[in-house]
Amino acid sequence: MFSDDGFLSEKFSNQSPSQTHIFTSFPNSAVDPDDDDLSTDNKPANNLSYEYNPSNSQPSSLPLPATANTSKDEQFHIWQLEYYQTYFQIDTQQVIERLLASMTPRPNKSYFDSTIRQNPDLYGPFWVCITFIITVAVSGNILTYFYVPDADFQIDFSKITLSAIFICFYWWLMPTCIYFFFRWHLKRIEYTFVELLCVYGYSLTIFIPISILWMISISWLQWLLTILGSVISGSVLIVTFWPTINSDRQRFNALSMLLMLFLHLAMAISIMLVFFHVSDKNIPTRNPTTLLTTVIPSVKNQI
Amino acid sequence: MDTDQAPFLTTSTQGIDMIEGDITLPSNRTNSNELSTLDEPVLDTIKRDLGAVFRKFGYAVIPRHSSTLLQQWDLWGPLILVTTLAILLQSNATKSSAGAQFAEVFTLMLIGSIAVTVNSQLLGGKISFFQSVCVLGYCLLPLLLSAFVNNILLYIPTKSTISILHIIRFLVVMAAYAWTMYASVQFLGQTQQPNRRMLVLYPIFLFYFLIAWLIILHAHPK
């Protein structure tokens, strides 16, 4: 690829007689004040073509000189912070817009296409998940605080870790499954993994106010909130994915949509049952002791 | 060879001069005087550092615009504050769980600071990691004061689940939380461009909210 002096490359594929000479690679010290002359009509002596293109990003070429503008195409690595900065190019207004759109399902318009497609971000999904974890853990603890006498109450940190593991697991697992499902079963790569993460993260938004309302310890209200929340966010997911799934006329269209909705509902129900459900079994200390004290005298009387 | 090197050398020495000029700090002390702080008595060093720490506490309590907190960051203040807070928040301590509870507050503080700083850097803010930890730690002072007040108020006995005392405690901690948020907004809000400011401030809000929640739900060991 390189000639003897080490900084020229040859490209025979797109040679044409009218093609001006463009440089593909040159060393750092090649700060040439009269670049303009070279670009037009010098015929190369040995049939190489030079390609001068500021946004050239061939990985095998030498780095461009310091005078070229390298705004977009530095190859960042996964351990550098700048690699992830591309996923955080977002303003407050856009985040609020996406949050609201993920809570309101509109039958014909997928908010994904209009908002997220051009600019998937990781800020929204990540902080929605963290907020959800925090509200679940805090509300769960407050709920037990009202049922346990003051002296015995201890903040249950295991709730935070449990809810964190569960919710993060869900947030990552579902996009992974959907990504592989699209890629291998449907053989369409229409969504990148980051876009799927984005959609799933934003779909958890509606559960944040619901998890605060879950503190109200009326059983039918908790169930109602669960079903309502998962139906709303599930329908947003369905509206987003339906065009892709429906386009191939496979057998499993409706089935896979229903499965996604079912898993969403299952996630909501399990969180509600583990952290919030107030049934007679869950209320600690007071009721069982009174039951015991009334049982024992009656047993004594019988003996 | 020499004629080749002579212009080369002159340009490079000019370059070295420029670099020297850029990296010396704009302080009154020259290089030779900096060594003298090694020779000064220990009491002087301690007094100077303690003075810096207390001055930063002052900035945290009464937030006014100054670049001291950000530029001359130190981690002594955060360490003192977090340790005191962790001691105050111990409750129902059995021998085995006391260490775990202490570590929980520390872990929360550490992970929270890391998350807030990384978030701010990813959104394009011009703040380094330790500067951010420093500001977050120093701004914790009002919440620490409210934890003191909380502990004192818990000594007053109360019978019902929700009494006037609970409400007073809640209000005190909420007031301290608002104060803390105001102080950290003053310092950290300026490091970000305006259309992303809320995005940076929201994790700080969550972080202090968690700490305030820990303080509110703290109960005395009986």
Side-chain angles (χ1 to χ4, degrees), chain A residues 7 26 49 78 80 90-91 103 107 117 129 132-133 141 147 188 205 211 221 236 239-240 270 279 300:
Chain A
F7 60 92
F26 30 71
S49 73
I78 203 165
Q80 283 180 310
I90 194 161
D91 292 340
M103 292 203 278
R117 243 295 147 66
C129 281
F132 187 31
I133 292 168
N141 268 306
Y147 283 105
R188 297 168 61 113
T205 315
S211 64
L221 186 66
V236 172
V239 164
T240 310
S270 50
S279 65
K300 273 195 197 164

mmCIF file with all atom_site columns, all heavy atoms in Angstrom, chain A residues 7 26 49 78 80 90-91 103 107 117 129 132-133 141 147 188 205 211 221 236 239-240 270 279 300:
data_model
loop_
_atom_site.group_PDB
_atom_site.id
_atom_site.type_symbol
_atom_site.label_atom_id
_atom_site.label_alt_id
_atom_site.label_comp_id
_atom_site.label_asym_id
_atom_site.label_entity_id
_atom_site.label_seq_id
_atom_site.pdbx_PDB_ins_code
_atom_site.Cartn_x
_atom_site.Cartn_y
_atom_site.Cartn_z
_atom_site.occupancy
_atom_site.B_iso_or_equiv
_atom_site.pdbx_formal_charge
_atom_site.auth_seq_id
_atom_site.auth_comp_id
_atom_site.auth_asym_id
_atom_site.auth_atom_id
_atom_site.pdbx_PDB_model_num
ATOM 1   N N   . PHE A 1 7   ? 4.912   7.381   2.296  1.00 0.00 ? 7   PHE A N   1
ATOM 2   C CA  . PHE A 1 7   ? 3.709   8.162   2.582  1.00 0.00 ? 7   PHE A CA  1
ATOM 3   C C   . PHE A 1 7   ? 2.778   8.298   1.397  1.00 0.00 ? 7   PHE A C   1
ATOM 4   O O   . PHE A 1 7   ? 1.950   9.164   1.377  1.00 0.00 ? 7   PHE A O   1
ATOM 5   C CB  . PHE A 1 7   ? 4.074   9.543   3.143  1.00 0.00 ? 7   PHE A CB  1
ATOM 6   C CG  . PHE A 1 7   ? 4.900   10.399  2.235  1.00 0.00 ? 7   PHE A CG  1
ATOM 7   C CD1 . PHE A 1 7   ? 4.294   11.280  1.362  1.00 0.00 ? 7   PHE A CD1 1
ATOM 8   C CD2 . PHE A 1 7   ? 6.275   10.341  2.260  1.00 0.00 ? 7   PHE A CD2 1
ATOM 9   C CE1 . PHE A 1 7   ? 5.049   12.088  0.546  1.00 0.00 ? 7   PHE A CE1 1
ATOM 10  C CE2 . PHE A 1 7   ? 7.034   11.154  1.431  1.00 0.00 ? 7   PHE A CE2 1
ATOM 11  C CZ  . PHE A 1 7   ? 6.419   12.026  0.566  1.00 0.00 ? 7   PHE A CZ  1
ATOM 12  N N   . PHE A 1 26  ? -0.083  11.324  4.091  1.00 0.00 ? 26  PHE A N   1
ATOM 13  C CA  . PHE A 1 26  ? 1.221   11.976  4.087  1.00 0.00 ? 26  PHE A CA  1
ATOM 14  C C   . PHE A 1 26  ? 1.618   12.179  5.541  1.00 0.00 ? 26  PHE A C   1
ATOM 15  O O   . PHE A 1 26  ? 0.761   12.206  6.422  1.00 0.00 ? 26  PHE A O   1
ATOM 16  C CB  . PHE A 1 26  ? 1.208   13.298  3.337  1.00 0.00 ? 26  PHE A CB  1
ATOM 17  C CG  . PHE A 1 26  ? -0.109  13.985  3.386  1.00 0.00 ? 26  PHE A CG  1
ATOM 18  C CD1 . PHE A 1 26  ? -0.576  14.567  4.561  1.00 0.00 ? 26  PHE A CD1 1
ATOM 19  C CD2 . PHE A 1 26  ? -0.921  14.016  2.280  1.00 0.00 ? 26  PHE A CD2 1
ATOM 20  C CE1 . PHE A 1 26  ? -1.800  15.168  4.607  1.00 0.00 ? 26  PHE A CE1 1
ATOM 21  C CE2 . PHE A 1 26  ? -2.148  14.628  2.324  1.00 0.00 ? 26  PHE A CE2 1
ATOM 22  C CZ  . PHE A 1 26  ? -2.590  15.209  3.495  1.00 0.00 ? 26  PHE A CZ  1
ATOM 23  N N   . SER A 1 49  ? -2.258  7.835   -7.592 1.00 0.00 ? 49  SER A N   1
ATOM 24  C CA  . SER A 1 49  ? -3.220  8.942   -7.450 1.00 0.00 ? 49  SER A CA  1
ATOM 25  C C   . SER A 1 49  ? -3.168  9.438   -6.020 1.00 0.00 ? 49  SER A C   1
ATOM 26  O O   . SER A 1 49  ? -3.054  8.669   -5.084 1.00 0.00 ? 49  SER A O   1
ATOM 27  C CB  . SER A 1 49  ? -4.622  8.460   -7.801 1.00 0.00 ? 49  SER A CB  1
ATOM 28  O OG  . SER A 1 49  ? -5.091  7.637   -6.776 1.00 0.00 ? 49  SER A OG  1
ATOM 29  N N   . ILE A 1 78  ? -12.715 2.715   23.294 1.00 0.00 ? 78  ILE A N   1
ATOM 30  C CA  . ILE A 1 78  ? -13.822 2.516   24.212 1.00 0.00 ? 78  ILE A CA  1
ATOM 31  C C   . ILE A 1 78  ? -13.456 2.929   25.623 1.00 0.00 ? 78  ILE A C   1
ATOM 32  O O   . ILE A 1 78  ? -14.308 3.089   26.471 1.00 0.00 ? 78  ILE A O   1
ATOM 33  C CB  . ILE A 1 78  ? -14.266 1.037   24.128 1.00 0.00 ? 78  ILE A CB  1
ATOM 34  C CG1 . ILE A 1 78  ? -15.705 0.888   24.590 1.00 0.00 ? 78  ILE A CG1 1
ATOM 35  C CG2 . ILE A 1 78  ? -13.355 0.154   24.933 1.00 0.00 ? 78  ILE A CG2 1
ATOM 36  C CD1 . ILE A 1 78  ? -16.276 -0.431  24.203 1.00 0.00 ? 78  ILE A CD1 1
ATOM 37  N N   . GLN A 1 80  ? -11.867 5.749   26.254 1.00 0.00 ? 80  GLN A N   1
ATOM 38  C CA  . GLN A 1 80  ? -11.759 7.196   26.312 1.00 0.00 ? 80  GLN A CA  1
ATOM 39  C C   . GLN A 1 80  ? -13.133 7.796   26.507 1.00 0.00 ? 80  GLN A C   1
ATOM 40  O O   . GLN A 1 80  ? -14.115 7.319   25.964 1.00 0.00 ? 80  GLN A O   1
ATOM 41  C CB  . GLN A 1 80  ? -11.184 7.742   25.003 1.00 0.00 ? 80  GLN A CB  1
ATOM 42  C CG  . GLN A 1 80  ? -9.705  7.564   24.882 1.00 0.00 ? 80  GLN A CG  1
ATOM 43  C CD  . GLN A 1 80  ? -9.226  8.137   23.570 1.00 0.00 ? 80  GLN A CD  1
ATOM 44  O OE1 . GLN A 1 80  ? -9.794  7.830   22.540 1.00 0.00 ? 80  GLN A OE1 1
ATOM 45  N NE2 . GLN A 1 80  ? -8.207  8.943   23.622 1.00 0.00 ? 80  GLN A NE2 1
ATOM 46  N N   . ILE A 1 90  ? -27.141 16.191  23.689 1.00 0.00 ? 90  ILE A N   1
ATOM 47  C CA  . ILE A 1 90  ? -28.568 16.415  23.805 1.00 0.00 ? 90  ILE A CA  1
ATOM 48  C C   . ILE A 1 90  ? -28.828 17.584  24.731 1.00 0.00 ? 90  ILE A C   1
ATOM 49  O O   . ILE A 1 90  ? -28.036 17.876  25.607 1.00 0.00 ? 90  ILE A O   1
ATOM 50  C CB  . ILE A 1 90  ? -29.249 15.125  24.309 1.00 0.00 ? 90  ILE A CB  1
ATOM 51  C CG1 . ILE A 1 90  ? -30.729 15.215  24.102 1.00 0.00 ? 90  ILE A CG1 1
ATOM 52  C CG2 . ILE A 1 90  ? -28.921 14.879  25.760 1.00 0.00 ? 90  ILE A CG2 1
ATOM 53  C CD1 . ILE A 1 90  ? -31.380 13.911  24.129 1.00 0.00 ? 90  ILE A CD1 1
ATOM 54  N N   . ASP A 1 91  ? -29.915 18.284  24.495 1.00 0.00 ? 91  ASP A N   1
ATOM 55  C CA  . ASP A 1 91  ? -30.259 19.444  25.307 1.00 0.00 ? 91  ASP A CA  1
ATOM 56  C C   . ASP A 1 91  ? -31.427 19.113  26.209 1.00 0.00 ? 91  ASP A C   1
ATOM 57  O O   . ASP A 1 91  ? -32.128 18.141  26.017 1.00 0.00 ? 91  ASP A O   1
ATOM 58  C CB  . ASP A 1 91  ? -30.633 20.614  24.410 1.00 0.00 ? 91  ASP A CB  1
ATOM 59  C CG  . ASP A 1 91  ? -29.442 21.118  23.632 1.00 0.00 ? 91  ASP A CG  1
ATOM 60  O OD1 . ASP A 1 91  ? -28.318 20.832  24.061 1.00 0.00 ? 91  ASP A OD1 1
ATOM 61  O OD2 . ASP A 1 91  ? -29.648 21.763  22.599 1.00 0.00 ? 91  ASP A OD2 1
ATOM 62  N N   . MET A 1 103 ? -44.530 8.667   26.992 1.00 0.00 ? 103 MET A N   1
ATOM 63  C CA  . MET A 1 103 ? -45.641 8.318   27.871 1.00 0.00 ? 103 MET A CA  1
ATOM 64  C C   . MET A 1 103 ? -46.973 8.408   27.152 1.00 0.00 ? 103 MET A C   1
ATOM 65  O O   . MET A 1 103 ? -47.991 8.045   27.712 1.00 0.00 ? 103 MET A O   1
ATOM 66  C CB  . MET A 1 103 ? -45.664 9.266   29.075 1.00 0.00 ? 103 MET A CB  1
ATOM 67  C CG  . MET A 1 103 ? -44.494 9.048   29.982 1.00 0.00 ? 103 MET A CG  1
ATOM 68  S SD  . MET A 1 103 ? -44.794 9.612   31.626 1.00 0.00 ? 103 MET A SD  1
ATOM 69  C CE  . MET A 1 103 ? -44.460 11.324  31.424 1.00 0.00 ? 103 MET A CE  1
ATOM 70  N N   . PRO A 1 107 ? -51.250 6.300   17.851 1.00 0.00 ? 107 PRO A N   1
ATOM 71  C CA  . PRO A 1 107 ? -51.375 5.096   17.020 1.00 0.00 ? 107 PRO A CA  1
ATOM 72  C C   . PRO A 1 107 ? -50.621 5.160   15.710 1.00 0.00 ? 107 PRO A C   1
ATOM 73  O O   . PRO A 1 107 ? -50.083 4.173   15.263 1.00 0.00 ? 107 PRO A O   1
ATOM 74  C CB  . PRO A 1 107 ? -52.872 4.987   16.767 1.00 0.00 ? 107 PRO A CB  1
ATOM 75  C CG  . PRO A 1 107 ? -53.522 5.905   17.703 1.00 0.00 ? 107 PRO A CG  1
ATOM 76  C CD  . PRO A 1 107 ? -52.539 6.905   18.164 1.00 0.00 ? 107 PRO A CD  1
ATOM 77  N N   . ARG A 1 117 ? -34.472 8.851   16.189 1.00 0.00 ? 117 ARG A N   1
ATOM 78  C CA  . ARG A 1 117 ? -33.720 8.272   15.086 1.00 0.00 ? 117 ARG A CA  1
ATOM 79  C C   . ARG A 1 117 ? -32.453 9.032   14.740 1.00 0.00 ? 117 ARG A C   1
ATOM 80  O O   . ARG A 1 117 ? -31.408 8.451   14.489 1.00 0.00 ? 117 ARG A O   1
ATOM 81  C CB  . ARG A 1 117 ? -34.593 8.241   13.836 1.00 0.00 ? 117 ARG A CB  1
ATOM 82  C CG  . ARG A 1 117 ? -34.923 6.897   13.250 1.00 0.00 ? 117 ARG A CG  1
ATOM 83  C CD  . ARG A 1 117 ? -33.826 6.125   12.722 1.00 0.00 ? 117 ARG A CD  1
ATOM 84  N NE  . ARG A 1 117 ? -33.886 4.705   12.829 1.00 0.00 ? 117 ARG A NE  1
ATOM 85  C CZ  . ARG A 1 117 ? -34.752 3.909   12.212 1.00 0.00 ? 117 ARG A CZ  1
ATOM 86  N NH1 . ARG A 1 117 ? -35.715 4.409   11.520 1.00 0.00 ? 117 ARG A NH1 1
ATOM 87  N NH2 . ARG A 1 117 ? -34.647 2.614   12.325 1.00 0.00 ? 117 ARG A NH2 1
ATOM 88  N N   . CYS A 1 129 ? -33.695 5.129   34.390 1.00 0.00 ? 129 CYS A N   1
ATOM 89  C CA  . CYS A 1 129 ? -33.544 3.884   35.149 1.00 0.00 ? 129 CYS A CA  1
ATOM 90  C C   . CYS A 1 129 ? -33.083 4.149   36.566 1.00 0.00 ? 129 CYS A C   1
ATOM 91  O O   . CYS A 1 129 ? -33.614 3.572   37.517 1.00 0.00 ? 129 CYS A O   1
ATOM 92  C CB  . CYS A 1 129 ? -32.523 2.974   34.470 1.00 0.00 ? 129 CYS A CB  1
ATOM 93  S SG  . CYS A 1 129 ? -33.203 2.123   33.075 1.00 0.00 ? 129 CYS A SG  1
ATOM 94  N N   . PHE A 1 132 ? -35.911 5.518   38.564 1.00 0.00 ? 132 PHE A N   1
ATOM 95  C CA  . PHE A 1 132 ? -36.875 4.464   38.849 1.00 0.00 ? 132 PHE A CA  1
ATOM 96  C C   . PHE A 1 132 ? -36.384 3.592   40.001 1.00 0.00 ? 132 PHE A C   1
ATOM 97  O O   . PHE A 1 132 ? -37.133 3.280   40.931 1.00 0.00 ? 132 PHE A O   1
ATOM 98  C CB  . PHE A 1 132 ? -37.083 3.633   37.582 1.00 0.00 ? 132 PHE A CB  1
ATOM 99  C CG  . PHE A 1 132 ? -38.160 2.615   37.679 1.00 0.00 ? 132 PHE A CG  1
ATOM 100 C CD1 . PHE A 1 132 ? -39.265 2.812   38.478 1.00 0.00 ? 132 PHE A CD1 1
ATOM 101 C CD2 . PHE A 1 132 ? -38.078 1.443   36.956 1.00 0.00 ? 132 PHE A CD2 1
ATOM 102 C CE1 . PHE A 1 132 ? -40.266 1.869   38.565 1.00 0.00 ? 132 PHE A CE1 1
ATOM 103 C CE2 . PHE A 1 132 ? -39.079 0.503   37.027 1.00 0.00 ? 132 PHE A CE2 1
ATOM 104 C CZ  . PHE A 1 132 ? -40.166 0.699   37.838 1.00 0.00 ? 132 PHE A CZ  1
ATOM 105 N N   . ILE A 1 133 ? -35.108 3.201   39.950 1.00 0.00 ? 133 ILE A N   1
ATOM 106 C CA  . ILE A 1 133 ? -34.545 2.408   41.041 1.00 0.00 ? 133 ILE A CA  1
ATOM 107 C C   . ILE A 1 133 ? -34.670 3.139   42.363 1.00 0.00 ? 133 ILE A C   1
ATOM 108 O O   . ILE A 1 133 ? -35.084 2.584   43.384 1.00 0.00 ? 133 ILE A O   1
ATOM 109 C CB  . ILE A 1 133 ? -33.056 2.092   40.757 1.00 0.00 ? 133 ILE A CB  1
ATOM 110 C CG1 . ILE A 1 133 ? -32.927 1.154   39.579 1.00 0.00 ? 133 ILE A CG1 1
ATOM 111 C CG2 . ILE A 1 133 ? -32.378 1.499   41.954 1.00 0.00 ? 133 ILE A CG2 1
ATOM 112 C CD1 . ILE A 1 133 ? -31.511 1.035   39.087 1.00 0.00 ? 133 ILE A CD1 1
ATOM 113 N N   . ASN A 1 141 ? -39.148 1.600   51.181 1.00 0.00 ? 141 ASN A N   1
ATOM 114 C CA  . ASN A 1 141 ? -38.715 1.790   52.559 1.00 0.00 ? 141 ASN A CA  1
ATOM 115 C C   . ASN A 1 141 ? -39.690 2.637   53.349 1.00 0.00 ? 141 ASN A C   1
ATOM 116 O O   . ASN A 1 141 ? -39.955 2.373   54.519 1.00 0.00 ? 141 ASN A O   1
ATOM 117 C CB  . ASN A 1 141 ? -37.333 2.459   52.582 1.00 0.00 ? 141 ASN A CB  1
ATOM 118 C CG  . ASN A 1 141 ? -36.228 1.437   52.631 1.00 0.00 ? 141 ASN A CG  1
ATOM 119 O OD1 . ASN A 1 141 ? -36.226 0.589   53.509 1.00 0.00 ? 141 ASN A OD1 1
ATOM 120 N ND2 . ASN A 1 141 ? -35.327 1.482   51.696 1.00 0.00 ? 141 ASN A ND2 1
ATOM 121 N N   . TYR A 1 147 ? -45.351 0.969   58.788 1.00 0.00 ? 147 TYR A N   1
ATOM 122 C CA  . TYR A 1 147 ? -45.952 -0.218  59.376 1.00 0.00 ? 147 TYR A CA  1
ATOM 123 C C   . TYR A 1 147 ? -45.149 -0.791  60.511 1.00 0.00 ? 147 TYR A C   1
ATOM 124 O O   . TYR A 1 147 ? -45.600 -1.707  61.177 1.00 0.00 ? 147 TYR A O   1
ATOM 125 C CB  . TYR A 1 147 ? -46.148 -1.300  58.306 1.00 0.00 ? 147 TYR A CB  1
ATOM 126 C CG  . TYR A 1 147 ? -47.335 -0.998  57.451 1.00 0.00 ? 147 TYR A CG  1
ATOM 127 C CD1 . TYR A 1 147 ? -47.174 -0.521  56.163 1.00 0.00 ? 147 TYR A CD1 1
ATOM 128 C CD2 . TYR A 1 147 ? -48.603 -1.167  57.944 1.00 0.00 ? 147 TYR A CD2 1
ATOM 129 C CE1 . TYR A 1 147 ? -48.269 -0.224  55.391 1.00 0.00 ? 147 TYR A CE1 1
ATOM 130 C CE2 . TYR A 1 147 ? -49.698 -0.878  57.179 1.00 0.00 ? 147 TYR A CE2 1
ATOM 131 C CZ  . TYR A 1 147 ? -49.523 -0.402  55.906 1.00 0.00 ? 147 TYR A CZ  1
ATOM 132 O OH  . TYR A 1 147 ? -50.602 -0.109  55.142 1.00 0.00 ? 147 TYR A OH  1
ATOM 133 N N   . ARG A 1 188 ? -33.374 -8.324  9.515  1.00 0.00 ? 188 ARG A N   1
ATOM 134 C CA  . ARG A 1 188 ? -33.338 -6.907  9.159  1.00 0.00 ? 188 ARG A CA  1
ATOM 135 C C   . ARG A 1 188 ? -32.573 -6.167  10.251 1.00 0.00 ? 188 ARG A C   1
ATOM 136 O O   . ARG A 1 188 ? -32.855 -6.338  11.412 1.00 0.00 ? 188 ARG A O   1
ATOM 137 C CB  . ARG A 1 188 ? -34.751 -6.326  9.113  1.00 0.00 ? 188 ARG A CB  1
ATOM 138 C CG  . ARG A 1 188 ? -35.637 -6.919  8.085  1.00 0.00 ? 188 ARG A CG  1
ATOM 139 C CD  . ARG A 1 188 ? -37.015 -6.447  8.372  1.00 0.00 ? 188 ARG A CD  1
ATOM 140 N NE  . ARG A 1 188 ? -37.061 -4.997  8.274  1.00 0.00 ? 188 ARG A NE  1
ATOM 141 C CZ  . ARG A 1 188 ? -37.744 -4.381  7.322  1.00 0.00 ? 188 ARG A CZ  1
ATOM 142 N NH1 . ARG A 1 188 ? -38.370 -5.055  6.413  1.00 0.00 ? 188 ARG A NH1 1
ATOM 143 N NH2 . ARG A 1 188 ? -37.775 -3.063  7.301  1.00 0.00 ? 188 ARG A NH2 1
ATOM 144 N N   . THR A 1 205 ? -40.322 5.510   31.740 1.00 0.00 ? 205 THR A N   1
ATOM 145 C CA  . THR A 1 205 ? -40.578 6.797   32.380 1.00 0.00 ? 205 THR A CA  1
ATOM 146 C C   . THR A 1 205 ? -41.867 6.798   33.169 1.00 0.00 ? 205 THR A C   1
ATOM 147 O O   . THR A 1 205 ? -41.945 7.352   34.260 1.00 0.00 ? 205 THR A O   1
ATOM 148 C CB  . THR A 1 205 ? -40.686 7.904   31.320 1.00 0.00 ? 205 THR A CB  1
ATOM 149 O OG1 . THR A 1 205 ? -39.647 7.745   30.386 1.00 0.00 ? 205 THR A OG1 1
ATOM 150 C CG2 . THR A 1 205 ? -40.601 9.259   31.953 1.00 0.00 ? 205 THR A CG2 1
ATOM 151 N N   . SER A 1 211 ? -44.550 4.470   40.643 1.00 0.00 ? 211 SER A N   1
ATOM 152 C CA  . SER A 1 211 ? -43.910 3.865   41.811 1.00 0.00 ? 211 SER A CA  1
ATOM 153 C C   . SER A 1 211 ? -44.082 4.737   43.038 1.00 0.00 ? 211 SER A C   1
ATOM 154 O O   . SER A 1 211 ? -44.046 4.243   44.152 1.00 0.00 ? 211 SER A O   1
ATOM 155 C CB  . SER A 1 211 ? -42.435 3.610   41.551 1.00 0.00 ? 211 SER A CB  1
ATOM 156 O OG  . SER A 1 211 ? -41.764 4.818   41.343 1.00 0.00 ? 211 SER A OG  1
ATOM 157 N N   . LEU A 1 221 ? -55.923 -0.623  44.014 1.00 0.00 ? 221 LEU A N   1
ATOM 158 C CA  . LEU A 1 221 ? -55.319 0.546   43.365 1.00 0.00 ? 221 LEU A CA  1
ATOM 159 C C   . LEU A 1 221 ? -53.930 0.218   42.846 1.00 0.00 ? 221 LEU A C   1
ATOM 160 O O   . LEU A 1 221 ? -53.534 0.628   41.749 1.00 0.00 ? 221 LEU A O   1
ATOM 161 C CB  . LEU A 1 221 ? -55.248 1.707   44.361 1.00 0.00 ? 221 LEU A CB  1
ATOM 162 C CG  . LEU A 1 221 ? -54.763 3.031   43.790 1.00 0.00 ? 221 LEU A CG  1
ATOM 163 C CD1 . LEU A 1 221 ? -55.765 3.543   42.794 1.00 0.00 ? 221 LEU A CD1 1
ATOM 164 C CD2 . LEU A 1 221 ? -54.523 4.040   44.882 1.00 0.00 ? 221 LEU A CD2 1
ATOM 165 N N   . VAL A 1 236 ? -46.645 2.086   23.636 1.00 0.00 ? 236 VAL A N   1
ATOM 166 C CA  . VAL A 1 236 ? -45.634 2.913   22.961 1.00 0.00 ? 236 VAL A CA  1
ATOM 167 C C   . VAL A 1 236 ? -44.592 2.029   22.299 1.00 0.00 ? 236 VAL A C   1
ATOM 168 O O   . VAL A 1 236 ? -44.167 2.257   21.163 1.00 0.00 ? 236 VAL A O   1
ATOM 169 C CB  . VAL A 1 236 ? -44.973 3.872   23.962 1.00 0.00 ? 236 VAL A CB  1
ATOM 170 C CG1 . VAL A 1 236 ? -43.819 4.587   23.330 1.00 0.00 ? 236 VAL A CG1 1
ATOM 171 C CG2 . VAL A 1 236 ? -45.970 4.871   24.472 1.00 0.00 ? 236 VAL A CG2 1
ATOM 172 N N   . VAL A 1 239 ? -46.138 0.449   19.164 1.00 0.00 ? 239 VAL A N   1
ATOM 173 C CA  . VAL A 1 239 ? -46.223 1.391   18.050 1.00 0.00 ? 239 VAL A CA  1
ATOM 174 C C   . VAL A 1 239 ? -44.864 1.589   17.407 1.00 0.00 ? 239 VAL A C   1
ATOM 175 O O   . VAL A 1 239 ? -44.728 1.726   16.194 1.00 0.00 ? 239 VAL A O   1
ATOM 176 C CB  . VAL A 1 239 ? -46.798 2.732   18.553 1.00 0.00 ? 239 VAL A CB  1
ATOM 177 C CG1 . VAL A 1 239 ? -46.561 3.828   17.564 1.00 0.00 ? 239 VAL A CG1 1
ATOM 178 C CG2 . VAL A 1 239 ? -48.267 2.597   18.818 1.00 0.00 ? 239 VAL A CG2 1
ATOM 179 N N   . THR A 1 240 ? -43.822 1.562   18.227 1.00 0.00 ? 240 THR A N   1
ATOM 180 C CA  . THR A 1 240 ? -42.481 1.758   17.667 1.00 0.00 ? 240 THR A CA  1
ATOM 181 C C   . THR A 1 240 ? -42.049 0.582   16.828 1.00 0.00 ? 240 THR A C   1
ATOM 182 O O   . THR A 1 240 ? -41.479 0.742   15.755 1.00 0.00 ? 240 THR A O   1
ATOM 183 C CB  . THR A 1 240 ? -41.484 1.959   18.810 1.00 0.00 ? 240 THR A CB  1
ATOM 184 O OG1 . THR A 1 240 ? -41.974 2.954   19.693 1.00 0.00 ? 240 THR A OG1 1
ATOM 185 C CG2 . THR A 1 240 ? -40.139 2.374   18.288 1.00 0.00 ? 240 THR A CG2 1
ATOM 186 N N   . SER A 1 270 ? -43.937 -7.831  39.020 1.00 0.00 ? 270 SER A N   1
ATOM 187 C CA  . SER A 1 270 ? -42.983 -8.389  39.977 1.00 0.00 ? 270 SER A CA  1
ATOM 188 C C   . SER A 1 270 ? -42.414 -7.298  40.870 1.00 0.00 ? 270 SER A C   1
ATOM 189 O O   . SER A 1 270 ? -42.219 -7.510  42.064 1.00 0.00 ? 270 SER A O   1
ATOM 190 C CB  . SER A 1 270 ? -41.866 -9.134  39.259 1.00 0.00 ? 270 SER A CB  1
ATOM 191 O OG  . SER A 1 270 ? -41.323 -8.339  38.257 1.00 0.00 ? 270 SER A OG  1
ATOM 192 N N   . SER A 1 279 ? -50.316 -7.037  51.639 1.00 0.00 ? 279 SER A N   1
ATOM 193 C CA  . SER A 1 279 ? -51.370 -8.011  51.906 1.00 0.00 ? 279 SER A CA  1
ATOM 194 C C   . SER A 1 279 ? -51.269 -8.362  53.381 1.00 0.00 ? 279 SER A C   1
ATOM 195 O O   . SER A 1 279 ? -50.415 -7.853  54.093 1.00 0.00 ? 279 SER A O   1
ATOM 196 C CB  . SER A 1 279 ? -51.188 -9.253  51.053 1.00 0.00 ? 279 SER A CB  1
ATOM 197 O OG  . SER A 1 279 ? -50.007 -9.891  51.439 1.00 0.00 ? 279 SER A OG  1
ATOM 198 N N   . LYS A 1 300 ? -55.251 -22.208 76.295 1.00 0.00 ? 300 LYS A N   1
ATOM 199 C CA  . LYS A 1 300 ? -55.134 -22.504 77.719 1.00 0.00 ? 300 LYS A CA  1
ATOM 200 C C   . LYS A 1 300 ? -56.477 -22.878 78.303 1.00 0.00 ? 300 LYS A C   1
ATOM 201 O O   . LYS A 1 300 ? -56.587 -23.774 79.134 1.00 0.00 ? 300 LYS A O   1
ATOM 202 C CB  . LYS A 1 300 ? -54.608 -21.268 78.462 1.00 0.00 ? 300 LYS A CB  1
ATOM 203 C CG  . LYS A 1 300 ? -53.118 -21.157 78.523 1.00 0.00 ? 300 LYS A CG  1
ATOM 204 C CD  . LYS A 1 300 ? -52.779 -20.142 79.580 1.00 0.00 ? 300 LYS A CD  1
ATOM 205 C CE  . LYS A 1 300 ? -51.355 -19.676 79.398 1.00 0.00 ? 300 LYS A CE  1
ATOM 206 N NZ  . LYS A 1 300 ? -51.078 -18.464 80.124 1.00 0.00 ? 300 LYS A NZ  1
#
